[in-house]
C-alpha cells in the first residue's frame, strides 16, 4: 500500500528487494498489480536456504551480500527492504542503506520497514 500510494510503479519499473528471503514480498508486490502487468522484481539475500525457498516460490532471488551485490549503480527505480535490517550488525547498517541508495536511478525511492530490536512488537 505504501508503494502504491507514494510511487509511480509501472510494468517497466525495476524493484530490487534487499534481504528478500523467500521472495514473499516480491510475490505480494506482483499480486498487487494483478490488473496490469506487474513490475520487474529481483531480490538478493545472504541465506542459501532462503534463496532456495524463493526458487520453490518461483521468485527471482540471488544469493548475494548487500556489500557486494550484482546490481549496477543507477539500475533500479525502487529498492525495498522489509523485516531484515535488524539482522544486519549495527555497524554495517549505514553501508546497507548506501548499497540500496546506489542502485537507484536519479529520483528513485528506497522503502525500509522493520521493527525496533528488543521492542515488544
Amino acid at each position: 500500500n505504501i508503494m502504491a500510494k507514494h510511487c509511480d510503479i509501472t510494468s517497466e519499473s525495476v524493484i530490487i528487494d534487499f534481504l528478500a528471503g523467500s521472495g514473499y514480498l516480491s510475490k505480494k508486490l506482483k499480486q498487487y498489480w494483478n490488473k496490469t502487468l506487474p513490475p520487474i522484481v529481483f531480490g538478493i539475500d545472504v541465506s542459501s536456504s532462503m534463496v532456495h525457498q524463493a526458487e520453490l516460490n518461483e521468485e527471482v532471488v540471488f544469493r548475494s551480500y548487500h556489500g557486494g551485490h550484482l546490481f549496477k549503480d543507477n539500475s533500479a527505480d525502487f529498492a525495498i527492504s522489509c523485516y531484515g535490517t535488524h539482522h544486519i550488525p549495527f555497524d554495517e547498517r549505514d553501508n546497507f542503506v548506501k548499497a540500496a541508495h546506489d542502485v537507484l536511478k536519479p529520483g528513485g525511492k528506497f522503502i525500509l520497514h522493520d521493527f525496533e530490536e528488543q521492542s515488544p512488537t
Side-chain angles (χ1 to χ4, degrees):
N1 289 337
I2 291 170
M3 289 190 80
K5 191 183 251 187
H6 299 285
C7 303
D8 185 23
I9 297 177
T10 69
S11 61
E12 296 178 10
S13 297
V14 174
I15 302 171
I16 299 179
D17 183 358
F18 282 80
L19 304 173
S22 66
Y24 178 80
L25 182 60
S26 299
K27 186 174 286 297
K28 287 298 178 187
L29 277 171
K30 289 187 271 186
Q31 288 173 353
Y32 194 85
W33 277 271
N34 62 1
K35 295 179 183 168
T36 62
L37 290 173
I40 302 160
V41 183
F42 298 107
I44 62 170
D45 201 278
V46 297
S47 168
S48 297
S49 62
M50 286 287 101
V51 171
H52 177 69
Q53 186 61 46
E55 182 180 330
L56 296 175
N57 292 336
E58 300 179 350
E59 294 302 322
V60 179
V61 176
F62 298 99
R63 185 169 185 275
S64 183
Y65 177 69
H66 65 270
H69 60 80
L70 53 94
F71 298 103
K72 293 181 180 180
D73 290 355
N74 303 311
S75 62
D77 300 290
F78 305 97
I80 56 174
S81 181
C82 295
Y83 302 115
T85 315
H86 62 277
H87 294 296
I88 298 173
F90 189 79
D91 62 339
E92 292 182 36
R93 291 181 185 170
D94 285 347
N95 288 334
F96 173 79
V97 172
K98 182 181 180 328
H101 177 268
D102 288 348
V103 300
L104 294 174
K105 295 176 184 175
K109 294 182 181 177
F110 174 44
I111 294 176
L112 187 149
H113 188 262
D114 211 327
F115 54 86
E116 185 176 354
E117 291 178 280
Q118 320 272 304
S119 74
T121 311

